[in-house]
Amino acid sequence: MATTRLNPLLHLSQRIEILPRLGFLHPNRKLKLPRSKPSLAIRPIRADSTDASPIEATASAVDAGVSYSETFSLKHTRTLEGKVSVKLDRVKEGGGEGWRLVVGCNLEGKWVLHWGVTYSDEFGSEWDQPPSDMRPPGSIPIKDYAIETTMTNSSSPSGEQTYHNVQIDIHNNSSISAVHFVLKEEEMGGWYQHRGRDFRVPLMDCLHEEENDEDEKKGFSIWPGAFDQFSNILLKTDGSHPKSKDNVRGANNAKQQNGFYEEYPILKEEPVQSFMTVSVKESDEKGKNLVNFDTDLPGEVVIHWGVCKDYNRTWEIPPPPHPPGTKIFRNKALRTSLQPKENGQGSWGLFAVEKKFSGLPFVLKHNHYTWLYNMGTDFYIPLPVGSFPTQFSRDKKKLDEQTMTDVQKQGIMYPPKVEDSQSTSDVVETEDIINGIRNLVTDISSEKGTMTKSKEAQENILLELEKLAAEAYSIFRSAPPTFDEEAVSEAESLKPFVELCSGTGSGYEIVCQGFNWESNKSGRWYSELDGKISEIASLGFTIVWLPPPTESVSPEGYMPKDLYNLNSRYGTMDQLKLLVKRFHEEGIRVLGDAVLNHRCAHYQNKNGVWNIFGGRLNWDDRAVVADDPHFQGRGNKSSGDNFHAAPNIDHSQDFVRKDLKEWLCWLRKEIGYDGWRLDFVRGFWGGYVKDYLEATEPYFAVGEFWDSLSYTYGAMDYNQDAHRQRIIDWINAVNGKSGAFDVTTKGILHAVLEKCEYWRLSDAKGKPPGVVGWWPSRAVTFIENHDTGSTQGHWRFPAGKEMQGYAYILTHPGTPTVFYDHVFSHYQQEISSLISLRNRNKIHCRSTIRIVKAEREVYAAEIDEKVMMKIGPGHFEPPSGLKDGSWPLKGEITKFGRLCKADLLLISLSLCQLVLGCKFLVL
């Protein structure tokens, strides 16, 4: 599970062409380009679309000796501050009186109100559509639970020029208790909430004053207040409290006869394109080059840079003297702040570099927290070495191509990582990391910083914390994995660390996630899924994973309340039992989604904190961990990471473990679950999970251990051993009685497919780089789920590359999981073919894998000496390939790729597969 997070999607509407600024005069001085000097065409370097991308540039020799210049475009965002206003007024309607709700926004854009209502006879935060006579003209129904109404331009109460609003008329005798809404900005694709939740306007006090006290128990009042603090950091909307004016009345005063008016701050981010021009000239000082940086990027710009002696681009720290104010960054690079220009339009810097160095790699850090880099790796500026070459700039393209060839010949992965010098001290580096974490924590926790920083800056701070933590853990776990693969024979190297046991299945499982984030909306999901059981079985799935079954504060089920109440937004308990029975009749086993880390309370304690539970498991605050300050638990300290949206359960308590084991056993017997999908297992020690698994003896179990991968300067590191080791540690803690989702493999596939870096799919020992490369029988591979994809989209798989991801996980060892949205989509035929290929060739979770090729544009592997697969646009032919360039025709070929002679001789699955660049051969 993951906390809902709605981010504006940024799109650039046009490309900006900027004339590069050259020479080494002061950047504010206008330069006149001499016509007599010819332009030198420079090959632009492609850059990552999310951070920086070069634009077409030319280099002109403004000053004698200028050898090279290139202009990069830098994409960043700016934050616009606005407000959302909510006004409720009493109005005359016909012969009586009613109410008018006006929702407004004062930011530019095409704003849409996405809204619904709650009726007085309903509890919780579920949306329903309002009655027809309440809908403004032009409103559009969204499924069966919401309405979308486009905001119109009008004059604001404060006389502002930009103002968009929607008016909703409500009858005085209406049975509606509240109106819920979020804002949607269609031009940028952004969704906006308030403090991590939907906006909510209570109406019970206005329409039915006598029911005022009852209304306090409805709506979002049942959510613990600590969720505000958690979502305040994660969401793109301002977490400040509403601003009140002299004539403003808060929601708590809504029952006053004149209604109320409130304003809420909102932050909208817009894309901005800036530039960075880098030019090189020969210095008057003998033996040195001068490198000039010139940018219009606003705010503070820091360059992290080094030098290279060879074309392998290995970072080194140049000898002093360094530019003024330069600091050494963890003995890996120099950190230099650019100087602001006198006109305030950007900044500049001038570096002297000895001619013995062949290049200058660098990355940018903007406004403390945002890294700008080049296509997932460093920017790189070639430097003339020794005597000044006249053809230096003209030969840049040829030089780059030769460099790449040399790198590949030497077996060096591209892009190379920044290497530590021999004098680097682990102690000094660890202290730097600790100090960096302390500074970031202090920065984000300061009240002043929280109020002044944009949400993008706050999120970047959190990302920096994750990177530093991952780097620290990498140092700590610098030793090999906890089990020694080299000490066992080749035949035994892929056997599990522990003996086969309950929870790991037969090894031939293929899992289907049987829901997405929207499945609860109809209230009839169990019945709807029942009609697709035969289709799921025919596709070859052996296990289906069902959503959380319990009553929940959130409709998706991940905020459980009464664990024994199985009447949820997905359907009734009887419908669930029938669904499981029907799956069993088709030979498919069923996993229940067990949320054990946290539980929502029924009652408040004497301090008004929600930490007293009701229902059959009527725990008190001893069941809540003591170190989460939001819920005032009287238990022991947490054994994992706290989830701040609900009380975290203290599993060290004997009565808690006893009750949870009884509940899980009851689910096994009463519902018929065959195993578990375990939610947010980072929140508590794996040893407790081991206890629950031993008590319930599931056929198959998988834990969700999801944390951040390792990054350097915003780019994913090649070595992700520390990340997968943390997942391995959890599997060890449960004594190998459960698998875990292979988040490492998913993250690496993202980088591979987004940036065409297929070399990442082989680790330093030539094995798969995820959990599947170390402990394949416990690796549950996936490319998407309800959190990462669906309508949440927290970590969406690269669009259009889904079949390459499935080509990888469905042919490799591990236990593959396929997301519901992909099963029932235009991908179904391709997925079915891959599952059929896997089953026919008896590929299982412990199958052997031999990586044949892992280069920038191509990855190929042989599985169990039966199946050969290849993905990527690059060329690859098996060793026994025919001389005419086609794949051999021995056996069966299933092809997803470019047309070749094999396509003419064998039947291709479908035309839509021709663009995906992957194919398979059964020998």
Side-chain angles (χ1 to χ4, degrees):
M1 67 162 288
T3 304
T4 305
R5 177 176 176 181
L6 302 175
N7 296 330
L9 303 177
L10 305 179
H11 304 281
L12 289 177
S13 58
Q14 62 182 351
R15 190 177 183 89
I16 303 174
E17 299 294 337
I18 304 174
L19 181 67
R21 184 174 296 170
L22 306 174
F24 296 89
L25 302 174
H26 192 279
N28 295 322
R29 178 178 175 181
K30 295 183 179 179
L31 302 178
K32 184 176 180 180
L33 303 181
R35 297 180 180 178
S36 59
K37 301 292 180 74
S39 296
L40 304 178
I42 302 298
R43 180 176 65 90
I45 304 173
R46 297 183 60 84
D48 193 334
S49 62
T50 61
D51 292 298
S53 60
I55 60 177
E56 294 180 3
T58 59
S60 299
V62 178
D63 195 5
V66 172
S67 63
Y68 167 81
S69 179
E70 186 157 3
T71 298
F72 303 92
S73 104
L74 307 173
K75 300 176 185 177
H76 58 102
T77 60
R78 67 178 176 184
T79 300
L80 302 178
E81 296 184 6
K83 61 187 176 184
V84 175
S85 61
V86 179
K87 183 179 182 182
L88 184 67
D89 283 331
R90 187 183 294 273
V91 296
K92 300 284 186 180
E93 54 171 19
E97 291 186 344
W99 294 87
R100 173 167 294 166
L101 175 65
V102 181
V103 179
C105 179
N106 69 342
L107 286 175
E108 291 283 358
K110 186 177 180 182
W111 293 94
V112 174
L113 190 73
H114 185 90
W115 63 287
V117 300
T118 301
Y119 290 95
S120 57
D121 57 348
E122 295 181 355
F123 289 83
S125 58
E126 296 302 319
W127 286 28
D128 287 299
Q129 288 185 346
S132 299
D133 59 356
M134 185 176 166
R135 306 176 188 180
S139 297
I140 301 174
I142 303 298
K143 296 186 178 180
D144 61 349
Y145 62 91
I147 294 291
E148 283 193 353
T149 306
T150 300
M151 289 186 165
T152 58
N153 296 332
S154 62
S155 59
S156 71
S158 57
E160 295 165 339
Q161 292 182 350
T162 301
Y163 185 69
H164 313 271
N165 74 349
V166 167
Q167 295 183 0
I168 301 172
D169 290 328
I170 307 164
H171 298 303
N172 213 28
N173 60 353
S174 173
S175 61
I176 294 172
S177 63
V179 175
H180 308 266
F181 70 89
V182 294
L183 293 179
K184 177 182 177 183
E185 206 288 298
E186 290 197 330
E187 291 180 346
M188 293 297 177
W191 292 81
Y192 297 83
Q193 293 177 300
H194 172 55
R195 304 178 71 191
R197 322 180 202 169
D198 305 336
F199 291 87
R200 177 179 181 272
V201 182
L203 300 176
M204 287 293 294
D205 293 332
C206 299
L207 306 180
H208 306 282
E209 295 185 20
E210 67 276 7
E211 299 178 15
N212 177 53
D213 293 338
E214 184 66 20
D215 183 59
E216 293 300 321
K217 301 178 182 178
K218 300 184 178 184
F220 275 100
S221 61
I222 58 179
W223 283 73
F227 188 72
D228 297 343
Q229 302 178 29
F230 180 68
S231 59
N232 183 31
I233 295 176
L234 294 181
L235 297 179
K236 292 289 184 184
T237 51
D238 196 326
S240 305
H241 292 281
K243 299 178 181 178
S244 298
K245 298 184 178 180
D246 293 338
N247 62 344
V248 172
R249 297 173 177 85
N252 293 332
N253 298 324
K255 68 178 182 179
Q256 295 192 19
Q257 294 183 355
N258 293 329
F260 68 89
Y261 176 77
E262 286 187 353
E263 292 179 354
Y264 303 87
I266 186 172
L267 301 177
K268 176 186 174 184
E269 293 181 345
E270 289 187 346
V272 180
Q273 189 157 331
S274 299
F275 76 90
M276 165 70 79
T277 296
V278 185
S279 44
V280 182
K281 66 168 289 184
E282 189 172 15
S283 174
D284 293 336
E285 185 178 353
K286 184 177 180 180
K288 289 190 176 182
N289 293 313
L290 292 177
V291 183
N292 185 58
F293 296 88
D294 180 18
T295 181
D296 68 345
L297 199 65
E300 182 177 355
V301 180
V302 178
I303 293 186
H304 285 240
W305 62 287
V307 291
C308 303
K309 287 183 179 178
D310 52 39
Y311 295 123
N312 292 337
R313 303 184 181 180
T314 303
W315 283 53
E316 296 183 19
I317 297 178
H322 301 143
T326 297
K327 297 180 180 179
I328 297 178
F329 182 71
R330 299 185 197 162
N331 290 320
K332 294 182 178 180
L334 297 180
R335 180 168 57 189
T336 305
S337 296
L338 295 186
Q339 302 300 312
K341 299 178 184 177
E342 291 182 358
N343 61 7
Q345 302 298 315
S347 53
W348 68 285
L350 185 62
F351 301 174
V353 181
E354 294 184 9
K355 284 190 175 181
K356 66 180 180 179
F357 298 110
S358 61
L360 187 150
F362 69 93
V363 292
L364 301 175
K365 198 170 190 180
H366 181 221
N367 286 338
H368 300 287
Y369 311 114
T370 303
W371 292 98
L372 301 179
Y373 52 94
N374 180 29
M375 200 170 176
T377 184
D378 316 329
F379 292 95
Y380 180 80
I381 301 300
L383 302 174
V385 181
S387 60
F388 211 89
T390 57
Q391 297 296 321
F392 178 75
S393 296
R394 296 187 180 91
D395 292 342
K396 177 179 182 292
K397 180 176 181 180
K398 180 177 180 181
L399 181 64
D400 282 353
E401 292 175 349
Q402 182 60 44
T403 299
M404 192 63 206
T405 302
D406 293 342
V407 169
Q408 292 174 345
K409 285 181 179 179
Q410 296 177 29
I412 300 173
M413 292 298 181
Y414 179 86
K417 290 169 59 66
V418 179
E419 300 291 344
D420 290 335
S421 64
Q422 293 181 353
S423 61
T424 300
S425 168
D426 287 342
V427 174
V428 173
E429 184 171 349
T430 304
E431 289 178 352
D432 288 341
I433 293 173
I434 293 173
N435 290 333
I437 292 176
R438 285 173 177 165
N439 292 335
L440 289 170
V441 170
T442 302
D443 202 4
I444 197 171
S445 61
S446 65
E447 182 177 354
K448 180 179 178 181
T450 302
M451 295 295 293
T452 57
K453 291 182 178 64
S454 70
K455 295 304 168 192
E456 180 190 27
Q458 293 183 27
E459 288 182 2
N460 283 327
I461 295 175
L462 292 177
L463 184 59
E464 286 295 300
L465 285 170
E466 288 184 339
K467 294 173 187 174
L468 290 171
E471 188 171 350
Y473 194 89
S474 179
I475 295 173
F476 175 72
R477 300 300 309 217
S478 58
T482 55
F483 51 94
D484 186 4
E485 296 178 293
E486 304 300 327
V488 297
S489 66
E490 181 69 21
E492 296 174 340
S493 61
L494 290 175
K495 290 185 178 180
F497 182 58
V498 296
E499 296 297 325
L500 294 179
C501 59
S502 170
T504 60
S506 67
Y508 292 91
E509 283 70 32
I510 302 175
V511 181
C512 171
Q513 180 174 1
F515 65 100
N516 61 25
W517 192 249
E518 299 294 319
S519 296
N520 64 88
K521 297 297 184 182
S522 67
R524 303 180 297 273
W525 184 248
Y526 294 148
S527 299
E528 293 175 11
L529 192 60
D530 188 290
K532 299 180 179 180
I533 292 177
S534 297
E535 187 174 3
I536 292 173
S538 67
L539 293 173
F541 291 103
T542 64
I543 293 179
V544 64
W545 156 24
L546 296 184
T550 58
E551 176 203 14
S552 170
V553 170
S554 64
E556 297 80 16
Y558 288 101
M559 299 287 284
K561 194 174 181 184
D562 185 352
L563 299 186
Y564 279 92
N565 181 357
L566 301 189
N567 295 318
S568 69
R569 283 289 295 180
Y570 297 101
T572 66
M573 177 176 174
D574 290 338
Q575 291 172 336
L576 174 59
K577 292 170 67 174
L578 179 60
L579 179 66
V580 173
K581 180 175 179 293
R582 292 269 291 109
F583 271 116
H584 287 166
E585 290 172 353
E586 292 289 340
I588 297 177
R589 301 178 190 267
V590 181
L591 302 183
D593 201 324
V595 184
L596 304 177
N597 175 75
H598 51 272
R599 181 185 171 195
C600 291
H602 292 69
Y603 312 107
Q604 295 169 297
N605 67 4
K606 61 182 180 181
N607 298 323
V609 176
W610 295 86
N611 61 10
I612 308 298
F613 304 92
R616 184 166 166 180
L617 302 182
N618 54 347
W619 302 332
D620 59 16
D621 52 6
R622 293 175 300 157
V624 180
V625 297
D627 53 346
D628 185 347
H630 308 307
F631 296 104
Q632 298 181 3
R634 291 193 296 123
N636 296 311
K637 290 186 177 180
S638 176
S639 56
D641 299 326
N642 283 333
F643 176 72
H644 295 291
N648 289 260
I649 300 304
D650 179 12
H651 295 265
S652 69
Q653 301 285 359
D654 291 338
F655 73 90
V656 168
R657 293 200 308 279
K658 176 179 177 295
D659 286 348
L660 288 180
K661 284 187 284 187
E662 289 179 355
W663 174 65
L664 291 170
C665 290
W666 176 78
L667 287 176
R668 285 272 275 148
K669 180 180 179 181
E670 190 70 21
I671 304 302
Y673 286 133
D674 301 288
W676 314 114
R677 181 267 185 184
L678 301 165
D679 181 69
F680 198 73
V681 295
R682 279 180 55 189
F684 55 105
W685 178 45
Y688 300 135
V689 178
K690 170 179 172 290
D691 199 12
Y692 302 141
L693 295 176
E694 289 176 345
T696 57
E697 297 184 344
Y699 172 80
F700 189 85
V702 54
E704 181 206 30
F705 193 100
W706 183 0
D707 66 351
S708 176
L709 280 78
S710 300
Y711 296 83
T712 299
Y713 296 132
M716 181 180 291
D717 292 342
Y718 165 65
N719 188 328
Q720 294 294 335
D721 288 355
H723 184 267
R724 57 176 169 175
Q725 182 64 57
R726 293 194 289 274
I727 300 176
I728 293 287
D729 290 344
W730 181 83
I731 301 174
N732 274 326
V734 302
N735 200 29
K737 295 181 181 295
S738 171
F741 285 114
D742 193 348
V743 181
T744 316
T745 290
K746 173 177 169 63
I748 291 172
L749 283 172
H750 276 243
V752 166
L753 299 175
E754 287 170 350
K755 301 171 183 177
C756 197
E757 296 175 344
Y758 291 84
W759 46 265
R760 291 182 179 271
L761 290 175
S762 177
D763 68 10
K765 294 186 177 181
K767 294 186 176 183
V771 178
V772 73
W774 279 359
W775 203 347
S777 66
R778 301 303 188 270
V780 180
T781 53
F782 73 109
I783 70 169
E784 208 80 291
N785 62 30
H786 62 291
D787 282 328
T788 66
S790 192
T791 54
Q792 285 213 97
H794 286 323
W795 194 23
R796 201 177 298 281
F797 201 75
K801 305 296 180 64
E802 290 85 356
M803 283 312 303
Q804 288 203 52
Y806 282 124
Y808 184 88
I809 69 172
L810 286 170
T811 59
H812 279 51
T815 301
T817 302
V818 182
F819 182 39
Y820 177 88
D821 287 7
H822 295 156
V823 174
F824 295 96
S825 72
H826 61 283
Y827 295 132
Q828 185 182 102
Q829 185 178 357
E830 289 91 335
I831 291 172
S832 175
S833 298
L834 289 171
I835 293 175
S836 177
L837 182 144
R838 184 180 183 92
N839 289 335
R840 286 197 307 272
N841 292 278
K842 295 182 173 56
I843 298 175
H844 52 86
C845 69
R846 299 174 183 84
S847 289
T848 59
I849 177 78
R850 182 175 70 89
I851 297 176
V852 180
K853 196 170 188 179
E855 297 179 357
R856 186 170 183 83
E857 294 187 340
V858 62
Y859 169 83
E862 181 184 85
I863 301 91
D864 284 344
E865 299 183 350
K866 296 179 181 178
V867 174
M868 182 77 75
M869 63 85 64
K870 169 256 180 184
I871 56 176
H875 180 76
F876 172 76
E877 296 292 342
S880 57
L882 301 179
K883 294 181 180 180
D884 60 4
S886 64
W887 282 50
L889 303 183
K890 177 183 177 182
E892 167 200 4
I893 296 179
T894 302
K895 184 174 182 352
F896 299 72
R898 300 173 180 174
L899 286 171
C900 68
K901 292 186 178 180
D903 293 292
L904 303 177
L905 298 174
L906 299 172
I907 298 176
S908 181
L909 291 178
S910 70
L911 293 177
C912 67
Q913 299 166 355
L914 299 179
V915 298
L916 298 178
C918 48
K919 56 185 176 179
F920 312 91
L921 171 66
V922 182
L923 301 176

